Amino acid sequence: MGKKGVTTSTLKKMKIEKKPIVMVTAYDYPSALLSEQAGVDVILVGDSLGMVVLGYDSTIPVTLDDMVHHTRAVCRGARNPLIVSDMPFLSYHGTIDKTLQNAGRLLQDGGATAIKMEGGKDILPMVEACVKAGIPVMGHIGLTPQSINQLGGYKVQGKNEEEAKRLIEDALLLEEAGVFSVVLECVPYQLAREISNQLMIPTIGIGAGPYCDGQVLVFHDILQYGSNLSPKFVKPYASVGEQVKGAIELYAKEVRERKFPELTHSFSADYGTNDKMGTKDVALYGGNQK
Ligand code: KIV
């Protein structure tokens, strides 16, 4: 029996029915569990984990082993959402065989249902090979963070007509190659609307305005949790970082002032005062108090 829950067909149906698709990134068991409990449709194990979880400056140092490790944890936390795992930097730019082997690891070892690849025209042979092999592929165009050194910074893409035309062409070619959905990152909303109208498959926007078929945000950005990046397209829905810092500060203060732990947080045993441990130790361990 196949896996129940959200599938690539569910997402296509949602586009037809004009139901917005909710995607969020997650990188570990608790973030996946909470995202599933919140009812998201898709979890992306994004290579943004390089920045928000591993503390790198970009997604470039993230390895396939990192992706497998985090994808496994996410799959343990969530069963209903579709789980998409990012193919990391250079893992799909060598031979087709190597690409298939790498993509296969995210499904076989990681447990993901689908993979995501950044790029347009240049990666079509890799996309086609994965789709032919039965691996669902999500595309990703616009700002493609793995090409940050070529793009020269995290900038909005498709601002002039020539770039916009190229992105529309890339989106159409990816659809033809068999991707089940495309992420549009940091493109003007007019271009995202045009691409969303031209494609039969759903578009998922991040910094691409309200006219995409779905939206994705990075978990840590939604929560303002350890991420001090606040690009224009992020809407923070909580201040978890501040709450965590406050809680840890309070814990540290209480330990230093010997207010924590109290006896209610401690275990007790029925040692007598003549116990081998001696009166001093018995007092320290709470004596006969229950
Ligand atoms: O890695 C990631 O989180 C992503 C999203 C920004 C789409 O690719």
Side-chain angles (χ1 to χ4, degrees), residues 62 114 187-188 192 234 246:
V62 176
V187 297
V234 169

Side-chain angles (χ1 to χ4, degrees), residues 23 25 27 44-49 59 86 116 118 140 145 183 185 206 216 218:
M23 175 157 119
T25 67
Y27 313 98
L44 170 67
V45 190
D47 60 355
S48 51
L49 78 87
T59 58
D86 254 336
K116 177 165 79 60
E118 294 181 7
H140 181 161
V183 168
E185 180 164 353
I206 174 161
V216 56
V218 166

Side-chain angles (χ1 to χ4, degrees), residues 10 20 33 44 92 95 117 141 155 157 162 172 261 266 274:
T10 318
L33 188 72
L44 170 67
Y92 49 106
T95 62
M117 293 180 187
I141 57 173
K155 296 178 196 154
Q157 304 294 304
E162 195 189 326
L172 290 167
S266 310
N274 293 327

Side-chain angles (χ1 to χ4, degrees), residues 27 45-64 66-67 86-92 116 118 140 143-149 154 185 218 229:
Y27 313 98
V45 190
D47 60 355
S48 51
L49 78 87
M51 287 140 103
V52 297
V53 175
L54 302 177
Y56 296 133
D57 282 344
S58 74
T59 58
I60 289 170
V62 176
T63 65
L64 190 65
D66 290 333
M67 292 309 303
D86 254 336
M87 289 282 277
F89 184 62
L90 289 191
S91 65
Y92 49 106
K116 177 165 79 60
E118 294 181 7
H140 181 161
L143 174 57
T144 46
Q146 290 173 13
S147 313
I148 196 63
N149 292 327
Y154 295 96
E185 180 164 353
V218 166
L229 286 179

